[in-house]
Amino acid sequence: MWEYSKKVMDHFLHPRNVGEIENADAIGEIGNIACGDALRLYLKLKDGRIVDAKFKTFGCGSAIAAASALTEMVIGKTIEDASRITNQDIANYLDGLPEAKMHCSVMGMEALEAAIANYRGVKIKPTEEGTIICKCFGVTDNIIKRVILSNHLTTIEQVTHYTKAGGGCKSCHPEIQKILDEVWAKGELVTPKVKPPKKMTNIRKIQLIQETIDREIRPVLMLDGGDVELVDIEDNTVYVSFRGSCTECPSSKVTLKSTVESKLKEFVSEDLVVEEAGL
Amino acid sequence: MKKLVYVDNNATTRVADEVLEEMLPYFTEHYGNPSSMHTFGGKLYRKIDEARAKVADLLGADHSEIIFTSCGTESDNAAVRGTLEAYPNKRHIITTRVEHPAVLSLCQYLARTGYEVTELHVDNNGLLDLEELRSSIRQDTALVSIMYANNETGVIFPIEEIGEIVKEKGITFHCDAVQAVGKLPLDMSKSTIDMLSLSGHKLHAPKGVGALYIKKGVKFKPFILGGHHENNRRAGTENVPYIVALGKACELAKKYLAEEQTRVRKLRDKLENEILFRVPNARLNGHKTFRLPNTTNISFEYVEGEAILLLLDEVGICASSGSACTSGSLEPSHVLRAMGVPFTAAHGSIRFSMSRYNTEEEMDYIAEHIPPVIRRLKEISPYAAEIEKLELARKG
Ligand code: FES
């Protein structure tokens, strides 16, 4: 038996905002019946603000609770603010979820991202990018990397709890381990070189950089069919590479570089500079 | 007190009052060690043998063929490992894909340590193909371990037919009968089974005691080493109160065997029919006839099992599910998947397992509460519209 918080049980037994929105401005859908849970999120917007949210979900108690919580959290927020919601925020809102159920909060976050992408007219959902690592649950390397970073995960078991990846035939375990190694090895590489600003560990810094890129920068670039990827970090130099329509336009690159840099300075550290990788 | 309808008896059962009463004096009054030289302890030997005789009686075995263990899982481990050790040159094991983890996980572990394991398939009804068994047997097969009845679906295997095939080749045949003992008539004196596992807490004895039947003459090396207990076949000071309890529980099981077959079966059939009749998109898992009298496993398509259980829990109904979320893994029940139950149905499977303590009124109570629970979850489900379309198509 799971130890669910009172809040989880409340949202499970009395889910808020169940249903569909006709003429929704955004619909985000994630999961499928074979995986054991699925969530369809509907958003209604007015002047860039979410005025209504509804959901339908197939899943266990905590999946229903997470979806219900998500709708409560986003109503009244601007799209920008909503896009900043992480899976951890959803779990916190519910006074925590059992670790083995954290994937329910990730599902909420992914559905929200899908809905926002849908609203912004981005054709590919951000979650569908990358290469599939876990065939059993259709989880990509991008998702695994992000969730590892934003939730400080260090073991395969945790990755499974948060993303489901690796929870089936287990044949993807070596690849998940590789991703874990890569993510955290980067942190170690940087360790001796960077003078971290007070109290910020290197890992935290990388995390923040990745998060800022994912949350603040990429959604904006994607609007214009572009994208940016974090390549490496050395001292205070952040190497990125631009993709999609960004690469075709040399003049815009300059502006892009400074946009990325100013965002990183704002959210992570004043000392950061941005370079394009491979130049 | 909140209403409680307990229909999860394949998970564990309540201890019978008679059993509890019988065992209690062995904690504070007769607490001696049966191995002691003094009468205070030594006299307990007789009590253990009386209990042994009762277990043997239920199984149609000789009392010398029974050893007491700590649980069904230990019995299974002792049987499998004890046989492999007795035949060190044989490296092949045959079992099934639907075994209880007590056997299946052990075999999968052994497979990683150099043994070869064949897991026999089952069909959509959960039944074996005996031809597959026949063709899987090899020169170096040490053991065939096949369950009597499945804990999740209740499906019963044709154990004697299986045993004949196995014994034709002179191979040791172990049967995990944890779910069958007390629910089906057994007679080891006429059986092809060489070793049989049983567990106390599945038949109204407490948790923490089990037994293993080992047919006379069958080669077996002890699994737990130490003192001379259990005729050198299972070391460890005898758990006297629990052994006494298991003896009593077996005596009662024999007395109530007919009731399991008639009254309990009727309760099960009633509940099953009501649910299948009242709930659209409900389907039965497992062969309808070759089944334990107390078990029914029903899938509610397009809804998720854990959510069903939580809502049933709210009204005091205790059942279990083969859904991923409750199995402790992310994939639904290995039994249902081996049977090819589609994911849409496996995630929403619920098992009800009755006992002689259940009543008809309780079946009505469950049958009443199931349809609104399922309806409520379907309303939340994004597949509801699709279901409706399906239902319309079916009708029209
Ligand atoms: S491929 Fe990841 S668990 Fe099967």
Side-chain angles (χ1 to χ4, degrees):
Chain A
M1 180 112 203
W2 304 109
E3 291 269 357
Y4 284 137
S5 70
K6 282 212 184 85
K7 201 104 179 245
V8 172
M9 281 311 286
D10 180 41
H11 275 266
F12 165 63
L13 291 172
H14 314 285
R16 332 287 201 257
N17 308 309
V18 175
E20 294 167 19
I21 299 179
E22 256 180 74
N23 313 320
D25 296 304
I27 298 178
E29 190 164 3
I30 207 80
N32 62 64
I33 205 160
C35 288
D37 42 26
L39 171 58
R40 201 179 287 158
L41 178 70
Y42 301 82
L43 301 178
K44 187 90 204 157
L45 281 107
K46 207 173 170 198
D47 309 327
R49 207 170 268 282
I50 298 169
V51 289
D52 195 11
K54 290 226 180 313
F55 79 95
K56 286 253 172 157
T57 191
F58 164 83
C60 57
S62 49
I64 292 172
S68 163
L70 174 67
T71 54
E72 291 280 277
M73 290 167 77
V74 297
I75 292 176
K77 283 204 169 63
T78 61
I79 272 283
E80 276 64 39
D81 286 343
S83 71
R84 254 173 245 142
I85 291 174
T86 66
N87 73 293
Q88 201 62 54
D89 295 333
I90 299 173
N92 291 344
Y93 185 91
L94 289 167
D95 294 336
L97 281 171
E99 175 148 89
K101 294 288 195 162
M102 282 302 285
H103 59 85
C104 295
S105 69
V106 174
M107 181 169 76
M109 178 185 76
E110 287 182 55
L112 177 61
E113 280 174 358
I116 292 173
N118 171 253
Y119 171 69
R120 289 178 169 156
V122 183
K123 271 167 222 93
I124 323 153
K125 297 179 205 161
T127 46
E128 279 178 3
E129 288 178 8
T131 37
I132 300 260
I133 297 291
C134 177
K135 283 174 218 82
C136 290
F137 291 102
V139 188
T140 64
D141 53 350
N142 282 0
I143 274 289
I144 294 175
K145 254 182 240 168
R146 278 185 45 204
V147 174
I148 287 174
L149 279 168
S150 61
N151 293 279
H152 313 249
L153 308 184
T154 53
T155 66
I156 297 177
E157 201 189 355
Q158 285 178 317
V159 172
T160 306
H161 287 156
Y162 279 70
T163 66
K164 291 193 163 197
C169 69
K170 300 193 171 75
S171 69
C172 57
H173 280 198
E175 284 188 70
I176 296 177
Q177 189 58 52
K178 236 170 70 195
I179 298 178
L180 277 165
D181 291 345
E182 275 168 26
V183 168
W184 298 125
K186 260 191 204 164
E188 274 160 31
L189 266 183
V190 186
T191 311
K193 294 181 195 160
V194 179
K195 279 178 259 110
K198 302 133 243 136
K199 284 197 232 131
M200 202 197 298
T201 63
N202 291 302
I203 287 172
R204 182 77 194 122
K205 178 167 162 184
I206 297 167
Q207 228 177 315
L208 275 178
I209 292 173
Q210 183 73 56
E211 277 176 25
T212 308
I213 291 177
D214 285 339
R215 233 182 291 142
E216 303 295 326
I217 304 165
R218 293 182 61 206
V220 183
L221 297 188
M222 282 166 148
L223 275 180
D224 305 318
D227 202 355
V228 63
E229 196 180 43
L230 176 62
V231 177
D232 207 348
I233 302 168
E234 211 175 275
D235 284 311
N236 278 328
T237 314
V238 180
Y239 291 97
V240 297
S241 81
F242 294 104
R243 282 199 265 131
S245 60
C246 315
T247 49
E248 288 147 29
C249 171
S251 73
S252 81
K253 263 193 202 165
V254 185
T255 4
L256 274 175
K257 210 171 71 97
S258 64
T259 324
V260 173
E261 195 169 291
S262 73
K263 283 280 181 201
L264 288 179
K265 279 184 196 295
E266 179 188 344
F267 286 96
V268 188
S269 158
E270 266 303 317
D271 306 328
L272 296 177
V273 283
V274 172
E275 288 295 340
E276 222 189 316
L279 288 184
Chain B
M1 208 181 93
K2 201 178 140 191
K3 186 166 178 90
L4 179 82
V5 176
Y6 187 80
V7 281
D8 200 11
N9 288 280
N10 286 9
T12 197
T13 59
R14 74 158 277 188
V15 173
D17 295 328
E18 302 93 314
V19 169
L20 181 67
E21 197 188 322
E22 187 102 351
M23 73 188 278
L24 283 179
Y26 295 89
F27 287 102
T28 51
E29 267 174 68
H30 313 298
Y31 55 81
N33 186 328
S35 300
S36 298
M37 282 311 293
H38 45 72
T39 323
F40 179 68
K43 70 173 182 195
L44 295 176
Y45 228 99
R46 246 211 354 253
K47 279 289 152 198
I48 294 178
D49 273 340
E50 276 174 36
R52 204 186 305 280
K54 288 175 185 169
V55 177
D57 188 40
L58 178 65
L59 300 181
D62 187 79
H63 66 98
S64 66
E65 295 174 313
I66 306 294
I67 62 174
F68 289 111
T69 64
S70 67
C71 60
T73 297
E74 186 197 320
S75 299
D76 287 335
N77 271 260
V80 172
R81 287 168 176 263
T83 304
L84 295 180
E85 250 199 80
Y87 296 97
N89 296 324
K90 296 191 167 183
R91 310 296 292 174
H92 180 233
I93 309 163
I94 298 175
T95 185
T96 76
R97 296 179 66 186
V98 296
E99 268 342 92
H100 188 274
V103 169
L104 200 54
S105 302
L106 173 61
C107 286
Q108 285 162 355
Y109 166 77
L110 290 166
R112 292 195 295 275
T113 61
Y115 282 91
E116 270 189 69
V117 177
T118 303
E119 291 177 15
L120 301 174
H121 297 79
V122 294
D123 65 13
N124 293 341
N125 284 316
L127 296 175
L128 293 168
D129 170 6
L130 296 190
E131 275 319 303
E132 192 194 3
L133 166 65
R134 212 185 291 272
S135 60
S136 301
I137 296 178
R138 311 192 322 206
Q139 209 70 48
D140 65 339
T141 304
L143 172 76
V144 175
S145 179
I146 293 179
M147 69 199 328
Y148 211 113
N150 189 274
N151 48 310
E152 292 188 29
T153 58
V155 168
I156 299 172
F157 286 146
I159 283 298
E160 294 308 328
E161 272 177 70
I162 292 169
E164 255 157 48
I165 297 170
V166 177
K167 293 319 291 176
E168 227 169 72
K169 308 278 177 182
I171 296 162
T172 301
F173 178 32
H174 167 249
C175 178
D176 173 358
V178 162
Q179 294 295 344
V181 175
K183 295 173 194 149
L184 300 173
L186 301 173
D187 187 358
M188 290 304 108
S189 71
K190 297 203 186 75
S191 172
T192 50
I193 296 172
D194 290 319
M195 290 193 221
L196 175 136
S197 305
L198 70 91
S199 165
H201 74 103
K202 309 282 192 200
L203 59 150
H204 307 287
K207 297 153 193 70
V209 65
L212 177 62
Y213 157 85
I214 310 170
K215 198 188 267 311
K216 254 186 215 124
V218 167
K219 277 221 247 171
F220 168 82
K221 292 253 168 127
F223 172 53
I224 295 183
L225 303 179
H228 299 298
H229 316 88
E230 297 296 291
N231 217 352
N232 289 316
R233 288 178 298 178
R234 200 276 190 181
T237 299
E238 297 87 345
N239 186 356
V240 182
Y242 282 62
I243 288 172
V244 167
L246 180 57
K248 185 66 186 178
C250 285
E251 185 188 303
L252 292 172
K254 193 171 178 190
K255 181 172 150 198
Y256 289 113
L257 197 54
E259 186 177 338
E260 286 278 344
Q261 291 295 326
T262 52
R263 197 183 69 87
V264 176
R265 181 187 295 274
K266 255 192 222 141
L267 291 181
R268 190 271 314 267
D269 289 347
K270 179 188 165 88
L271 178 65
E272 184 172 290
N273 291 336
E274 287 282 322
I275 293 176
L276 293 176
F277 176 72
R278 291 197 200 186
V279 183
N281 305 107
R283 43 179 278 172
L284 184 65
N285 294 315
H287 197 280
K288 201 166 159 57
T289 322
F290 303 133
R291 230 173 2 143
L292 290 174
N294 79 317
T295 311
T296 179
N297 186 312
I298 298 175
S299 277
F300 300 96
E301 287 188 86
Y302 311 107
V303 285
E304 200 279 330
E306 187 206 279
I308 301 173
L309 287 186
L310 288 170
L311 289 178
L312 289 180
D313 194 50
E314 286 292 304
V315 290
I317 298 170
C318 313
S320 66
S321 165
S323 99
C325 286
T326 56
S327 66
S329 71
L330 290 167
E331 298 216 313
S333 142
H334 71 285
V335 174
L336 298 184
R337 281 196 305 139
M339 289 163 57
V341 174
F343 276 110
T344 49
H347 283 296
S349 73
I350 300 289
R351 176 189 72 189
F352 303 93
S353 48
M354 274 54 86
S355 81
R356 60 177 185 258
Y357 289 100
N358 287 117
T359 63
E360 202 167 330
E361 182 251 314
E362 289 178 323
M363 300 303 111
D364 291 333
Y365 182 81
I366 303 170
E368 225 167 83
H369 278 89
I370 289 276
V373 161
I374 304 300
R375 215 176 305 127
R376 182 164 159 187
L377 291 171
K378 269 188 192 164
E379 271 158 24
I380 307 180
S381 171
Y383 304 111
E386 278 115 89
I387 305 167
E388 266 154 39
K389 252 184 260 156
L390 262 175
E391 273 163 19
L392 277 180
R394 243 178 246 177
K395 276 180 201 144

